[in-house]
Amino acid sequence: MGRVYNFSAGPAVLPEEVLREAADEMLDYRGTGMSVMEMSHRSKAFEQIITEAEQDLRDLMNIPDNYKVLFLQGGASQQFAMIPMNLMKNRSADYIITGQWAKKAAKEAEKYGEVHRIASSEDETFSYIPDCSDLPVSEDADYVYICENNTIYGTKFKELPDTKGKTLVADVSSCFLSEPVDVTKYGVIYGGVQKNIGPAGVVIVIIREDLITEDVLPGTPTMLTYKTHSDAKSLYNTPPAYGIYICGKVFKWIKAQGGLEAMKERNEKKAKVLYDFLDQSKLFRGTVVPKDRSLMNVPFVTGNADLDAKFVKEAKEAGLENLKGHRTVGGMRASIYNAMPYEGVVALVEFMKKFEEENL
């Protein structure tokens, strides 16, 4: 069997060129006589891999010099604790709740201080982004937290909240490098890479230097202190070396495609094909308020659980994998990250048309 169109939410589709290149280098990385999987993280060869990866990411996102780039482990979920441990000086933070992950992050932060949930879309199963133009930001809040793109629910902040001068912290796991971003608007941008950038096991944290201090909450483990990793240039202990290597290849691939402007254009074109079909379909409908729709994750339903299950089964047989929706939404979800080719989305829509004709 050949490659399928993989619509998984993460771990997710990677660019085929990157996989082929990694396969070619698997046994002998550039004349070292060994795989990147086997080499010391203190070696010259790996030093070059991680240094280049950071520089390429800085180029892609125009990351200013007063921001550090950290390649860490523990996934986005570990950042739910690391952020309050390092940033909650006043033991107070504001969270905007737009899905499961923001909800989990807020719950975790409550272990370290007072959490104010200053806006939420839970009342409508997170199918929209709340108005964040005039939020009741707490006076003593150390930061305001958002999950920028909601993988499960398919919503995306199109405008960042007005944090009234407070530090903005954003989990961008599922929209990382999908479009240009103004890093200076954030104190911390972080994301697990297994959706849009690389294999599971790496989380990238982009953090403004003034937020990296020794003044962390008492009892914070050495490994969960940003300063530890910043001082050691992400090499305090053995990093997820192979994962970082693949991320580096994906950064080069994005550069070759024309950078983040080109990615945004491609992603808008792909998403339009699917959303346009959903908007005129008699069988399927999208679950998100149109103005808040994500370019990366597209949930949709037929309204009939048996029909949804039939669709997922038949789609799989047609080489369209991982379309089952998250249990909290039901139905289907197509994740159409950077590496999903345009042809994949067209194939999905063609299949949906055929299914609609047969099942209406």
Side-chain angles (χ1 to χ4, degrees), residues 130-144:
D131 177 8
C132 295
S133 56
D134 186 19
L135 295 163
V137 177
S138 315
E139 267 186 41
D140 62 346
D142 291 301
Y143 57 88
V144 176

Side-chain angles (χ1 to χ4, degrees), residues 289-300:
V289 171
K291 72 176 177 56
D292 297 327
R293 284 170 166 173
S294 164
L295 294 179
M296 297 284 101
N297 311 98
V298 184
F300 56 97

Side-chain angles (χ1 to χ4, degrees), residues 310-321 323 348 351:
K310 184 183 181 197
F311 175 84
V312 171
K313 180 176 175 286
E314 290 182 8
K316 184 179 171 71
E317 286 159 9
L320 307 167
E321 286 275 355
L323 282 162
L348 171 61
F351 179 78

Side-chain angles (χ1 to χ4, degrees), residues 106-123:
K107 189 166 187 264
E108 188 71 8
E110 282 181 328
K111 294 177 178 175
Y112 306 102
E114 206 175 320
V115 170
H116 312 276
R117 292 165 177 77
I118 55 172
S120 171
S121 53
E122 192 161 14
D123 60 336

Side-chain angles (χ1 to χ4, degrees), residues 38-305:
E38 307 169 289
M39 66 174 53
S40 164
H41 61 296
R42 307 278 177 208
S43 66
K44 276 273 171 277
F46 186 72
E47 189 188 344
Q48 189 184 353
I49 287 170
I50 195 168
T51 306
E52 264 185 46
E54 177 179 336
Q55 191 53 55
D56 286 336
L57 182 61
R58 285 185 176 277
D59 295 346
L60 283 168
M61 292 178 76
N62 295 318
I63 299 173
D65 290 344
N66 66 324
Y67 283 75
K68 293 283 191 197
V69 174
L70 309 175
F71 295 96
L72 307 178
Q73 300 177 72
S77 296
Q78 186 152 289
Q79 293 304 309
F80 297 170
M82 235 173 136
I83 285 156
M85 282 175 166
N86 286 265
L87 304 188
M88 243 194 203
K89 317 291 187 200
N90 300 322
R91 303 271 182 155
S92 170
D94 289 355
Y95 279 67
I96 296 166
I97 311 296
T98 50
Q100 295 299 85
W101 302 113
K103 208 171 155 177
K104 285 184 175 171
K107 189 166 187 264
E108 188 71 8
E110 282 181 328
K111 294 177 178 175
Y112 306 102
E114 206 175 320
V115 170
H116 312 276
R117 292 165 177 77
I118 55 172
S120 171
S121 53
E122 192 161 14
D123 60 336
E124 299 278 349
T125 325
F126 301 120
S127 57
Y128 69 100
I129 296 287
D131 177 8
C132 295
S133 56
D134 186 19
L135 295 163
V137 177
S138 315
E139 267 186 41
D140 62 346
D142 291 301
Y143 57 88
V144 176
Y145 182 102
I146 61 169
C147 181
E148 198 164 316
N149 185 88
N150 296 283
T151 322
I152 294 173
Y153 300 97
T155 57
K156 164 83 166 67
F157 279 83
K158 302 292 167 73
E159 276 175 36
L160 294 175
D162 178 358
T163 62
K164 303 189 176 169
K166 300 291 183 189
T167 298
L168 179 64
V169 174
D171 173 354
V172 298
S173 295
S174 53
C175 59
F176 224 158
L177 301 185
S178 62
E179 59 182 29
V181 58
D182 180 354
V183 175
T184 63
K185 291 185 171 166
Y186 306 79
V188 181
I189 304 177
Y190 79 89
V193 303
Q194 72 277 10
K195 298 170 185 301
N196 221 11
I197 300 175
V202 184
V203 57
I204 296 173
V205 176
I206 300 159
I207 179 169
R208 211 172 56 226
E209 274 177 350
D210 60 289
L211 298 171
I212 303 171
T213 65
E214 282 170 356
D215 174 25
V216 296
L217 296 191
T220 299
T222 306
M223 275 295 288
L224 297 188
T225 303
Y226 288 127
K227 195 169 189 321
T228 299
H229 300 286
S230 174
D231 288 353
K233 300 193 159 124
S234 301
L235 295 170
Y236 174 74
N237 68 332
T238 311
Y242 196 80
I244 293 167
Y245 155 77
I246 300 287
C247 292
K249 289 205 176 299
V250 172
F251 300 153
K252 289 195 187 303
W253 176 79
I254 294 173
K255 273 186 160 180
Q257 306 295 310
L260 299 190
E261 290 289 350
M263 279 295 139
K264 184 179 188 193
E265 210 172 295
R266 277 173 49 147
N267 290 328
E268 284 175 341
K269 191 178 159 198
K270 283 189 301 196
K272 189 177 188 317
V273 173
L274 185 46
Y275 284 126
D276 282 357
F277 172 70
L278 286 171
D279 287 343
Q280 58 82 50
S281 170
K282 293 183 173 60
L283 180 63
F284 300 98
R285 65 171 185 85
T287 56
V288 172
V289 171
K291 72 176 177 56
D292 297 327
R293 284 170 166 173
S294 164
L295 294 179
M296 297 284 101
N297 311 98
V298 184
F300 56 97
V301 295
T302 63
N304 175 322

